[in-house]
Amino acid sequence: MRQSYRKTYVIGCFIIFLITSCTSSQSTDLVDFVNPYLGNISHLLVPTYPTVHLPNSMLRVYPERADYTGDLLNGLPVAVTSHRGSSAFNLSVFQGDELELKPVIPYSYDREKITPYDYFVYLDEQETSVYYAVSHQSGIYELTFGHTDPVYLILNSRRGELQWDGKAFSGYQQLQNNTRIFVYMEPDIQPQGANDKAASGQNAHLVLSYPSNTKQLKLRYGISFIDTVQAKKNLYREMSGFDPSGVAEKGRQTWNETLGKIKVDGGSYDDKVVFYTSLYRTYERPVCISEDGRYFSAFDGEIHNDNGAPFYTDDWIWDTYRATHPLRTIIETEMESDILNSFLKMSEQMPEFWWPTFPEITGDSRRMNSNHGIATVIDAYRKGLKGIDLARIYPAVRNAVMEKTLAPWSGKPSGELDRFYHEKGYVPALREGEEETIPEVHGFECRQPVAVTLGTSYDEWCLAQIARELGKEDDYEYFLKKSYNYRHLFNPQTGFFHPKDKDGNFIEPFDYRFSGGVGARQYYGENNAWVYRWDVQHNVADLIHLMGGRENFIRNLDQTFREPLGKSKYDFYSQLPDHTGNVGQFSMANEPSLHIPYLYNYAGQPWKTQKRIHILLNQWFRNDLMGVPGDEDGGGMSAFVVFSQMGFYPVTPGIPAYNIGSPFFAKTVISLPGGKAFTVIARNFSEENKYIQSAELNGIPWEKPWFSHDDLKNGGTLELIMGNKANKQWGSASQDAPPSEGELTD
């Protein structure tokens, strides 16, 4: 009996050891929570892509196919040159009749598996297993063949030149503007023949042939934006041999270390998948394109020394300034400083000294509206990031508003429309059927007069804050006054921001859901008036005042989530395709909506923020193929998820404060520079207990629905006592509202 008990005890201990070991392993291998397929089927517009890359690295790949449900792969990827951009080069492998060779081979495929650092796919008709692993500027393929036919390798450049020197491929593909991407690729086994030594033009390609019964080939390659010599250096610096598993293991370690800067405990498995997948996506861009201390800049077409400061590009700032940049001010302070200094270098390299808006590998594409890169500067500076030279930066950000046109999607100098704005304080709208005469205005994107007026008001608030930090009092007063320009378009009769014509008259008749054509661009931008009603993130206190006080403000917020579409889904989305992820007229699918759920904090009802955040994330961000409601924008929307699941959000970049929401985990630990940590603890945590009953910050009772960046960056603990019913008193006092610019007193 005793012996049986001892045996049972030993077995029990062994089982506990195994469970503990597995749990420990799972907790440290955070990369295993990343699901690159999450959101790969879009609700309407652009899906996410299952991108294989290391954090902010130059080399990125994903399978080439029409979309996730595409039945064929178009060859094998070599490099992606911009977020959501097409691949550069293409690698194909083929066994069969030489007469069937093409520049790019289409493949039937199966058993695909993608992680952030490697990729496997089985080409079933070819009976070829493909394994790929990525490094920062180089990658490696391992190809295992099932047929006994001769093997052909095809490297394709869609527009460029390729050479085969008997040992390796090299060449370039021409991208947009002045930019080329270069490749140096070598196989581990030399071929028995090559179709040619060089090729150029459209679909330039070279073919290597291998004998029958070839079982396996490995190909390693480096890329560069400088030249093929540098591509070779990049390869040899990162890979000493042909070992894809070794490269993958390094990539796995890199991702575990990076994702480990935020560790969560408690919460469901799916919530952790959504969290770490979102965090992984915030590291897709911008990308570091420094190569051995040099980089090619598309902003002037020259090769520069980086002088020890990495150069970053490919950042759609209109999308990322709201949450992605603020996230880096917490967990990647040095990188964020390097990114902003890269923006400064771009400004200095471009013909006009203007801060960039959409810097890409191929230059600044000047997309969207406003110049919200200005917000990234003051936000980082006020959060204490080092190396932010406001004196050098200020002329560039000031010129971006005062010298560059405010017309959306334009890189032209300011003109008549801009003179009107700076004199009258708003962008005038055209009446229906009125002909556009302003040459700076994009034919499809239109003036977006309300969106531009509101967005520029915020940009000018940011300029005022920078001027104040520099002691430029005249500029501070000038831009601070202009930061209230949104008031010119506020319609007190309706409580909406309403377009005006050049004579100062509201456009009538008007429908706040549907007026403005496709994307409501004639008046707003991608979203309708219900979303832009809240686009005064720098001065929520004044918006409450304009709406007649906290009670009316809350009523209008509630109605945003309740107002019907007003048309069939078909008709609604035909006109407003970016306005998906709807809860009433609120659009979870587009960045201008991200701060809206947190606005209840400003008007005394934080419990509604706590409720709404859980509803929205549970409805729209899920661990499945349609688990993202709209264009994710390479980190723009994902950072909102990261912040919101941690339990707080930066409503106003430029004000170093965070609105408290409601956490999705029992414990979140954020590693900070200098070995410090900020911890969010949710006592009584459960899926049902989403309401804050009370709070303590560093052991002190805390009644405010916000805290400062200093509270965070110095390390500490925010402890929240949670319950399943709202404590409607917590955080409700008007004096405890989050900070904003405040009401204009003159």
Side-chain angles (χ1 to χ4, degrees):
M1 186 75 173
R2 184 175 297 172
Q3 187 175 4
S4 175
Y5 171 82
R6 182 177 298 169
K7 183 184 294 183
T8 303
Y9 175 79
V10 170
I11 292 172
C13 289
F14 180 68
I15 292 173
I16 291 171
F17 170 78
L18 286 179
I19 293 172
T20 304
S21 299
C22 291
T23 303
S24 173
S25 173
Q26 189 178 46
S27 67
T28 55
D29 292 330
L30 300 178
V31 70
D32 292 330
F33 286 112
V34 176
N35 176 11
Y37 293 108
L38 196 156
N40 282 192
I41 298 178
S42 67
H43 290 252
L44 192 60
L45 294 180
V46 182
T48 61
Y49 290 85
T51 310
V52 183
H53 66 101
L54 299 188
N56 300 96
S57 288
M58 196 166 81
L59 180 57
R60 298 165 286 181
V61 303
Y62 46 70
E64 288 203 34
R65 53 189 170 217
D67 54 32
Y68 175 81
T69 60
D71 195 52
L72 294 175
L73 292 180
N74 298 310
L76 302 172
V78 175
V80 173
T81 56
S82 69
H83 172 65
R84 297 201 322 222
S86 61
S87 294
F89 307 109
N90 189 282
L91 178 68
S92 294
V93 58
F94 181 77
Q95 283 187 287
D97 189 341
E98 187 175 3
L99 296 176
E100 297 180 31
L101 293 179
K102 303 175 183 178
V104 175
I105 302 293
Y107 297 120
S108 171
Y109 65 100
D110 196 8
R111 294 162 47 198
E112 183 183 80
K113 181 182 179 183
I114 295 177
T115 78
Y117 54 87
D118 68 358
Y119 168 47
F120 174 85
V121 69
Y122 180 63
L123 311 179
D124 47 19
E125 292 178 348
Q126 284 281 305
E127 296 185 15
T128 298
S129 296
V130 176
Y131 181 67
Y132 176 83
V134 70
S135 189
H136 296 283
Q137 296 172 347
S138 62
I140 184 168
Y141 273 103
E142 181 178 86
L143 309 169
T144 304
F145 307 109
H147 289 310
T148 58
D149 298 330
V151 173
Y152 300 95
L153 286 179
I154 309 163
L155 183 64
N156 177 58
S157 171
R158 290 177 171 84
R159 184 164 65 103
E161 296 181 1
L162 291 173
Q163 296 84 37
W164 169 254
D165 64 5
K167 179 184 177 183
F169 292 114
S170 61
Y172 73 86
Q173 181 169 313
Q174 185 70 44
L175 306 178
Q176 291 178 324
N177 304 328
N178 54 13
T179 309
R180 292 176 174 180
I181 182 171
F182 299 86
V183 68
Y184 179 88
M185 177 184 290
E186 58 183 29
D188 65 332
I189 301 172
Q190 294 307 300
Q192 67 178 9
N195 71 322
D196 210 338
K197 292 184 177 180
S200 62
Q202 296 292 122
N203 276 323
H205 60 283
L206 295 173
V207 182
L208 304 184
S209 58
Y210 288 84
S212 302
N213 295 312
T214 299
K215 298 299 183 185
Q216 190 178 80
L217 283 174
K218 298 176 183 178
L219 294 100
R220 61 180 185 176
Y221 67 94
I223 63 166
S224 171
F225 292 106
I226 296 175
D227 55 30
T228 55
V229 173
Q230 186 63 53
K232 181 178 180 180
K233 289 180 180 178
N234 295 343
L235 170 61
Y236 285 6
R237 176 179 5 93
E238 296 183 350
M239 293 187 196
S240 58
F242 291 84
D243 180 17
S245 61
V247 173
E249 183 56 34
K250 288 181 181 178
R252 182 179 177 85
Q253 292 173 8
T254 297
W255 273 114
N256 274 323
E257 291 170 5
T258 299
L259 298 173
K261 293 180 180 182
I262 306 177
K263 293 184 178 179
V264 299
D265 195 15
S268 69
Y269 172 79
D270 283 343
D271 281 340
K272 289 179 181 177
V273 170
V274 170
F275 180 82
Y276 283 110
T277 303
S278 299
L279 185 56
Y280 136 84
R281 289 202 171 114
T282 69
Y283 281 95
E284 191 223 331
R285 60 193 185 109
V287 294
C288 176
I289 62 169
S290 285
E291 308 176 47
D292 290 332
R294 299 187 301 157
Y295 66 93
F296 170 79
S297 172
F299 302 90
D300 65 359
E302 301 292 334
I303 296 169
H304 299 266
N305 291 320
D306 68 15
N307 298 315
F311 185 83
Y312 290 84
T313 188
D314 198 19
D315 187 2
W316 298 359
I317 307 174
W318 187 88
D319 302 292
T320 59
Y321 88 90
R322 306 166 197 268
T324 320
H325 281 269
L327 181 63
R328 280 195 296 265
T329 65
I330 298 174
I331 59 174
E332 296 287 359
T333 55
E334 186 176 348
M335 182 192 298
E336 180 65 10
S337 180
D338 287 335
I339 290 167
L340 296 183
N341 281 303
S342 297
F343 292 168
L344 176 58
K345 292 175 184 176
M346 295 170 192
S347 303
E348 293 170 336
Q349 291 163 4
M350 287 186 284
E352 299 87 5
F353 191 39
W354 301 339
W355 203 248
T357 56
F358 258 61
E360 301 187 72
I361 294 288
T362 54
D364 195 352
S365 55
R366 299 289 180 190
R367 304 189 209 184
M368 299 305 294
N369 59 58
S370 308
N371 289 276
H372 294 324
I374 303 169
T376 65
V377 175
I378 188 61
D379 193 53
Y381 184 84
R382 286 195 163 161
K383 290 175 179 174
L385 269 65
K386 298 178 181 178
I388 310 298
D389 190 341
L390 286 187
R392 285 179 63 200
I393 290 172
Y394 183 64
V397 292
R398 192 184 193 280
N399 293 346
V401 170
M402 300 303 293
E403 293 185 1
K404 178 193 169 293
T405 184
L406 300 175
W409 290 69
S410 177
K412 296 179 181 179
S414 60
E416 180 183 340
L417 196 69
D418 307 277
R419 287 189 290 273
F420 187 100
Y421 172 82
H422 292 302
E423 179 182 344
K424 302 291 187 180
Y426 69 96
V427 176
L430 298 177
R431 293 185 175 274
E432 188 174 350
E434 188 176 354
E435 185 179 353
E436 181 62 74
T437 60
I438 303 296
E440 294 84 42
V441 175
H442 190 283
F444 175 75
E445 295 296 336
C446 307
R447 295 186 180 188
Q448 302 180 21
V450 178
V452 172
T453 299
L454 300 181
T456 304
S457 298
Y458 172 56
D459 294 340
E460 289 173 320
W461 178 83
C462 293
L463 283 174
Q465 307 313 304
I466 297 173
R468 189 176 203 178
E469 297 287 352
L470 292 171
K472 297 179 180 291
E473 288 302 315
D474 289 346
D475 269 13
Y476 168 69
E477 295 293 339
Y478 173 74
F479 285 117
L480 183 63
K481 184 177 181 180
K482 294 182 72 181
S483 77
Y484 287 84
N485 277 343
Y486 57 85
R487 284 183 161 194
H488 293 294
L489 297 184
F490 188 78
N491 187 334
Q493 302 302 316
T494 64
F496 282 86
F497 291 104
H498 195 131
K500 284 182 177 178
D501 65 17
K502 64 181 183 300
D503 297 319
N505 301 311
F506 287 125
I507 302 292
E508 297 287 1
F510 200 82
D511 187 322
Y512 290 120
R513 287 177 292 193
F514 303 119
S515 291
V518 177
R521 286 173 171 84
Q522 291 171 23
Y523 304 123
Y524 301 94
E526 295 189 347
N527 295 104
N528 65 19
W530 280 90
V531 169
Y532 280 96
R533 190 179 199 180
W534 310 103
D535 200 31
V536 189
Q537 61 201 91
H538 63 293
N539 208 340
V540 182
D542 189 45
L543 187 57
I544 292 172
H545 169 74
L546 289 174
M547 289 186 176
R550 301 205 301 175
E551 192 173 315
N552 281 340
F553 184 86
I554 291 290
R555 187 179 298 112
N556 292 338
L557 260 180
D558 286 343
Q559 193 59 32
T560 300
F561 294 100
R562 297 168 181 172
E563 185 73 13
L565 291 185
K567 290 183 178 180
S568 69
K569 287 184 179 180
Y570 177 85
D571 289 334
F572 186 93
Y573 295 128
S574 293
Q575 181 183 345
L576 296 161
D578 291 277
H579 199 122
T580 57
N582 282 81
V583 180
Q585 290 293 322
F586 172 83
S587 168
M588 190 69 263
N590 213 348
E591 283 76 12
S593 294
L594 299 184
H595 69 292
I596 295 175
Y598 289 91
L599 296 183
Y600 290 104
N601 284 352
Y602 293 80
Q605 295 194 16
W607 68 274
K608 286 189 175 179
T609 285
Q610 297 155 30
K611 173 185 175 182
R612 184 60 62 187
I613 287 297
H614 274 266
I615 289 174
L616 290 171
L617 266 68
N618 287 331
Q619 285 175 339
W620 295 111
F621 298 95
R622 307 175 311 276
N623 180 22
D624 62 53
L625 287 165
M626 296 187 74
V628 177
D631 294 1
E632 188 275 338
D633 292 316
M637 196 173 296
S638 291
F640 163 82
V641 177
V642 172
F643 270 119
S644 295
Q645 286 191 302
M646 290 194 296
F648 58 96
Y649 185 75
V651 167
T652 311
I655 294 179
Y658 303 96
N659 271 247
I660 297 173
S662 178
F664 279 62
F665 305 104
K667 185 177 182 180
T668 299
V669 180
I670 305 169
S671 297
L672 305 171
K676 299 177 182 178
F678 184 76
T679 303
V680 179
I681 295 175
R683 301 289 183 197
N684 305 326
F685 172 82
S686 72
E687 184 176 351
E688 187 180 50
N689 291 351
K690 55 180 169 285
Y691 295 106
I692 297 171
Q693 307 301 299
S694 63
E696 290 185 354
L697 183 61
N698 298 326
I700 300 172
W702 195 254
E703 292 295 325
K704 300 176 182 179
W706 65 278
F707 59 90
S708 74
H709 183 74
D710 283 344
D711 294 326
L712 183 149
K713 77 175 185 180
N714 294 326
T717 300
L718 175 65
E719 186 170 342
L720 307 172
I721 308 301
M722 310 302 293
N724 63 1
K725 294 180 180 179
N727 176 357
K728 297 179 182 179
Q729 300 307 310
W730 184 85
S732 64
S734 58
Q735 66 268 23
D736 291 334
S740 67
E741 177 57 40
E743 296 177 19
L744 189 64
T745 56
D746 58 10

